[in-house]
Amino acid sequence: MTSRNQQLFERAQRHIPGGVNSPVRAFRSVGGTPCFLRKGVGAKVQDADGKWYTDYVGSWGPMILGHAHPEVIAAVQAAVVDGLSFGAPTEKEVDLADLLCELVPSMDMVRLVSSGTEATMSAIRLARGHTGRDLLIKFEGCYHGHSDGLLVKAGSGLLTFGNPSSSGVPAGVAENTMVLTYNNPQELAEAFARHGDRVAAVIVEPVVGNMNLIAPTTEFLNAMRALCTQYGAVLIFDEVMTGFRVGLKSAQGLFGITPDLSTFGKVIGGGMPLGAFGGKREIMEKIAPLGPVYQAGTLSGNPVATAAGLATLKLIRAPGFHEALTARTRALCDGLAAAAGKHDIAFAAQNIGGMFGLYFAEKCPGSYDEVLACDKEAFNRFFHAMLDAGHYFAPSAFEAGFVSAAHSEADIATTVAAADAYFAGLK
Ligand code: HOZ
């Protein structure tokens, strides 16, 4: 019998390219039919066939409190009855801006937008407007949304300019992006030595969550900060994924590095479309209407999205919230690693706050090349076995996972037991 998931996927493909509105959802990397989700409660999601899963995707990060948290839902319901959008300033966006600047000390000012992609592309334009320079440095394997200048892969040689990684991106745009190796401070120093007077900005995921999870080294973080300061370039921390997820002060607070600009999304919207970019006053004052850098949006600061974001941030600033989330996420990683170790499976896992990486490799990778060297087929088999057993991990070996405050000790233990049973069967 054809499942409802399969029926929906076939129907979806008639009018939606690939049947999905964002590529990774199509399960192309792992194979099989995507789960069409119809409901989420706490740590669980239910698919169109009525099957429940423990969810380790969490809408790719936003659902830090779990699905349908009563206080977030109540805030949204209260906002909705007053109107969905005005295209005019509202009090709630002022409240959210105040709160973001209070929680993230590097931000004197912030602008609200509707997505992480919008936040990063606007921050880069602002950095260029501020410095009067064009060149952007990014790192291989970091993802900063799908705007043209960011869909770029490394050029033919070390320190050459980038090539488009997507059809439709003009070569001329890609040429303004240089793609370097994550966690390689020497290469970054060399790039600045050669091109420093042309570099507008360095953009980085301070913990990478888009090539599985990669932790930064202290040397790399310090080098980025020092070189940007030395050469007058803007250091942009893309905290769309890490923001309020790895700690209340985000990755910059955790690592003690002060970026010039930061971008946010995901958690700050509590599941609604909301992004933000902010930073030093002297830079932020260059945005229209104060300055010459244009940026705008009809739905920016949307009252329903800001209500969800405010409710979420209010709850996650409770004392001990991130410590508990970190401990729960670590229990998952330690449990999975111990289960794999028991059965001699080459497997490693690590977490930073409430985000985690799983690798079919002897040790946690530190760069894109090391991620590519992990056993992707082993991950795919693990993914499907866990999905069958009711545990929903990201459908790609190149994505980080997420734990929420709604995941109980019992949820983690059940997932670890399922993995243990799977690993045991591999012998
Ligand atoms: N940008 C996400 C992966 N890192 C996927 C978002 C989605 O499919 O919803």
Side-chain angles (χ1 to χ4, degrees):
M1 201 179 67
T2 316
S3 76
R4 182 101 181 107
N5 282 319
Q6 283 165 324
Q7 286 169 4
L8 282 172
F9 194 38
E10 274 157 34
R11 206 182 114 209
Q13 290 174 76
R14 286 210 294 273
H15 291 124
I16 303 175
V20 291
N21 285 309
S22 190
V24 71
R25 301 178 194 180
F27 276 31
R28 289 270 169 120
S29 179
V30 290
T33 304
C35 300
F36 279 67
L37 299 184
R38 67 178 183 203
K39 194 178 169 75
V41 182
K44 311 282 179 186
V45 287
Q46 187 188 38
D47 75 9
D49 287 306
K51 179 170 172 173
W52 285 93
Y53 305 84
T54 305
D55 178 20
Y56 293 104
V57 179
S59 185
W60 303 97
M63 310 319 299
I64 194 166
L65 295 167
H67 294 278
H69 188 285
E71 286 184 47
V72 179
I73 298 298
V76 167
Q77 284 170 335
V80 160
V81 293
D82 285 336
L84 298 179
S85 177
F86 304 111
T90 64
E91 187 168 344
K92 276 200 287 289
E93 57 194 311
V94 185
D95 293 342
L96 185 57
D98 287 352
L99 183 55
L100 289 170
C101 290
E102 179 196 330
L103 294 176
V104 183
S106 71
M107 295 208 298
D108 300 325
M109 303 182 98
V110 64
R111 163 105 1 134
L112 303 182
V113 293
S114 299
S115 71
T117 288
E118 233 187 297
T120 52
M121 69 182 217
S122 305
I124 290 165
R125 182 181 304 145
L126 177 58
R128 286 179 166 142
H130 173 70
T131 56
R133 304 170 180 175
D134 288 341
L135 188 57
L136 175 72
I137 291 179
K138 78 177 283 288
F139 299 96
E140 197 171 26
C142 287
Y143 175 75
H144 307 286
H146 58 87
S147 64
D148 282 357
L150 290 163
L151 293 181
V152 177
K153 56 182 185 245
S156 53
L158 186 71
L159 307 186
T160 56
F161 297 97
N163 296 316
S165 63
S166 162
S167 171
V169 173
V173 172
E175 275 168 15
N176 284 314
T177 306
M178 180 176 274
V179 184
L180 302 180
T181 311
Y182 197 80
N183 274 338
N184 188 333
Q186 293 78 19
E187 193 180 274
L188 183 64
E190 206 181 317
F192 267 104
R194 287 204 207 168
H195 306 288
D197 58 343
R198 296 178 49 206
V199 179
V202 172
I203 187 165
V204 67
E205 286 184 90
V207 175
V208 194
N210 285 287
M211 50 166 162
N212 210 319
L213 181 145
I214 303 289
T217 63
T218 306
E219 297 71 34
F220 181 56
L221 291 169
N222 288 339
M224 278 189 291
R225 181 60 281 174
L227 288 163
C228 283
T229 303
Q230 183 184 341
Y231 287 90
V234 176
L235 177 59
I236 306 173
F237 266 20
D238 176 350
E239 299 238 38
V240 170
M241 223 177 239
T242 51
F244 305 98
R245 161 65 64 183
V246 299
L248 186 59
K249 291 186 176 161
S250 304
Q252 51 196 275
L254 195 66
F255 299 130
I257 300 281
T258 304
D260 303 305
L261 291 178
S262 305
T263 63
F264 292 91
K266 299 193 189 279
V267 167
I268 65 162
M272 299 292 291
L274 184 73
F277 64 100
K280 284 186 179 155
R281 182 173 299 277
E282 59 159 322
I283 305 179
M284 292 301 289
E285 285 183 343
K286 302 256 168 64
I287 302 173
L290 292 182
V293 178
Y294 191 69
Q295 189 282 326
T298 298
L299 295 173
S300 295
N302 174 271
V304 185
T306 47
L310 280 166
T312 300
L313 291 175
K314 187 181 122 213
L315 287 161
I316 70 170
R317 69 185 303 196
F321 177 91
H322 285 91
E323 287 78 2
L325 182 69
T326 302
R328 195 63 35 101
T329 314
R330 183 153 304 144
L332 174 73
C333 292
D334 290 350
L336 293 174
K342 210 163 87 186
H343 304 293
D344 289 329
I345 312 285
F347 178 90
Q350 67 178 334
N351 75 298
I352 299 187
M355 62 194 279
F356 65 86
L358 310 178
Y359 325 91
F360 282 84
E362 295 293 346
K363 63 178 183 59
C364 298
S367 69
Y368 187 60
D369 284 346
E370 287 179 23
V371 172
L372 289 182
C374 296
D375 188 343
K376 181 172 171 279
E377 295 312 315
F379 171 82
N380 291 354
R381 291 190 291 274
F382 170 81
F383 167 82
H384 278 293
M386 295 303 283
L387 194 67
D388 287 349
H391 308 271
Y392 185 74
F393 285 94
S396 162
F398 300 97
E399 299 284 353
F402 301 94
V403 169
S404 78
H407 285 75
S408 65
E409 247 176 70
D411 290 326
I412 302 293
T414 310
T415 299
V416 169
D420 192 12
Y422 169 69
F423 290 139
L426 291 179
K427 279 194 172 162

